[in-house]
């Protein structure tokens, strides 16, 4: 049982949906990003997705691409990202952290070294968007053996033939991408998402969390209402990118969390 598993078990016993938030490590600088990260649990965030900055984020829209560029220009590295998690864990041993990004920085560091370090600092799961199930031996299976959840994305184009392959080594939760395309590109629609979530849940006992295209408390409520919870990323990153102080970003997050938890 990981922190992620424990969190979903607790939420289920309480009859609550999960609210997951995404921020980019080191955006716009380490101090601000860490202040926001430390405040997320009190703002109602159940699981934190922490972006690992990368130079070629092909699945991300302009908002998150710019966040990654700001972080990299500020000197953010894999080491600094791991240290950010370590600093967060000094005061919070409960909130799950999922590191989200691309395989290149992990491969460059060395899979075994990276997984050992990730486990040591307190990372609970990975979302690596450019590693398909056919490459599970690269990272997915080693990550599971190291005690980390490996969370896979399902999309509107994941058909009945493909879905079992996507689910076969997934753990923690399934991340359903509500729209085709990049992050921040369109609004999620509960009427379209609901049947897809139900289809996935017929094939797995894992929670299904919906992300992409959620940017208001009402959207968080309606999408969480047809799933086990929702993820908000670009809308939060946009607040950071606008130069707002951590307290204002966290107030925005708290409103989103209330929406999700009211589902």
């Amino acid at each position: 049982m990981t922190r992620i598993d424990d969190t979903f078990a607790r939420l289920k016993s309480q009859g609550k949906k999960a609210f997951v938030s995404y921020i980019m490590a080191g955006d716009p600088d380490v101090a601000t990003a860490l202040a926001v990260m430390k405040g997320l649990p009190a703002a109602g965030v159940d699981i934190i997705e922490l972006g690992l900055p990368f130079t070629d984020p092909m699945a991300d829209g302009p908002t998150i691409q710019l966040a990654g560029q700001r972080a990299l220009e500020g000197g953010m590295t894999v080491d600094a990202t791991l240290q950010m998690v370590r600093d967060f864990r000094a005061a919070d041993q409960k909130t799950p952290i999922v590191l989200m990004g691309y395989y290149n920085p992990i491969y460059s560091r060395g899979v075994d070294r990276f997984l050992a370090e990730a486990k040591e600092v307190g990372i609970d799961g990975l979302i690596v968007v450019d590693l398909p199930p056919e490459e599970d031996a690269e990272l997915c299976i080693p990550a599971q053996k190291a005690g980390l959840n490996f969370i896979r994305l399902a999309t509107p184009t994941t058909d009945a033939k493909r879905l079992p392959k996507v689910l076969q080594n997934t753990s923690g939760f399934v991340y359903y991408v509500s729209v085709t395309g990049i992050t921040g590109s369109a609004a999620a629609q509960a009427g379209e998402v609901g049947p897809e979530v139900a289809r996935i849940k017929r094939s797995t006992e894992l929670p299904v969390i919906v992300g992409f295209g959620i940017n208001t408390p009402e959207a968080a409520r309606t999408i969480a209402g047809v799933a086990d919870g929702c993820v908000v990323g670009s809308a939060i990153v946009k607040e950071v990118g606008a130069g707002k102080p951590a307290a204002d970003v966290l107030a925005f997050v708290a409103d989103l969390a209330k929406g999700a938890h009211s589902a």
Side-chain angles (χ1 to χ4, degrees):
M1 291 283 286
T2 65
R3 290 186 186 93
I4 296 170
D5 300 324
D6 289 342
T7 294
F8 279 112
R10 174 178 55 80
L11 290 170
K12 186 176 181 180
S13 72
Q14 297 171 348
K16 289 176 67 176
K17 302 300 180 77
F19 180 66
V20 183
S21 70
Y22 171 98
I23 62 169
M24 179 66 72
D27 176 37
D29 54 69
V30 174
T32 303
L34 185 58
V36 171
M37 187 178 182
K38 287 181 174 180
L40 291 175
V45 173
D46 298 300
I47 298 172
I48 297 170
E49 284 183 8
L50 184 65
L52 180 62
F54 180 51
T55 53
D56 189 22
M58 60 188 177
D60 295 314
T63 298
I64 292 180
Q65 283 191 32
L66 288 170
Q69 288 175 16
R70 288 191 296 267
L72 291 169
E73 287 167 3
M76 204 60 181
T77 61
V78 174
D79 278 327
T81 301
L82 293 170
Q83 184 60 48
M84 195 172 154
V85 176
R86 189 179 285 113
D87 292 342
F88 176 87
R89 284 283 177 237
D92 187 321
Q93 288 291 325
K94 181 179 177 182
T95 306
I97 298 172
V98 176
L99 195 67
M100 185 171 185
Y102 298 83
Y103 186 43
N104 184 280
I106 298 170
Y107 176 81
S108 298
R109 197 171 189 83
V111 168
D112 291 343
R113 176 188 175 190
F114 173 81
L115 291 175
E117 292 172 335
K119 185 69 176 175
E120 182 266 322
V121 301
I123 290 168
D124 303 289
L126 302 174
I127 300 175
V128 182
V129 299
D130 55 347
L131 272 183
E134 287 77 11
E135 305 297 334
D136 275 357
E138 286 281 328
L139 182 63
C140 174
I141 292 171
Q144 307 266 34
K145 288 179 178 177
L148 300 172
N149 289 128
F150 198 88
I151 296 140
R152 190 86 67 193
L153 305 182
T155 74
T157 60
T158 305
D159 59 20
K161 182 178 179 181
R162 181 65 175 169
L163 185 60
K165 189 75 172 176
V166 169
L167 296 174
Q168 68 181 3
N169 289 317
T170 299
S171 65
F173 61 92
V174 178
Y175 187 136
Y176 179 68
V177 177
S178 63
V179 297
T180 54
I182 55 177
T183 59
S185 60
Q189 302 296 326
E192 298 172 4
V193 169
E196 289 297 294
V197 170
R199 177 173 70 90
I200 294 168
K201 289 182 74 68
R202 287 194 291 270
S203 298
T204 181
E205 294 183 358
L206 291 171
V208 179
I209 304 300
V210 177
F212 286 44
I214 302 167
N215 53 25
T216 66
E218 177 62 15
R221 184 188 66 79
T222 58
I223 295 300
V226 298
D228 295 301
C230 68
V231 184
V232 178
S234 293
I236 297 170
V237 171
K238 193 173 290 185
E239 296 290 300
V240 174
K244 295 186 178 181
D248 290 355
V249 175
L250 291 167
F252 177 73
V253 172
D255 285 341
L256 293 164
K258 287 175 186 174
H261 289 149
S262 69

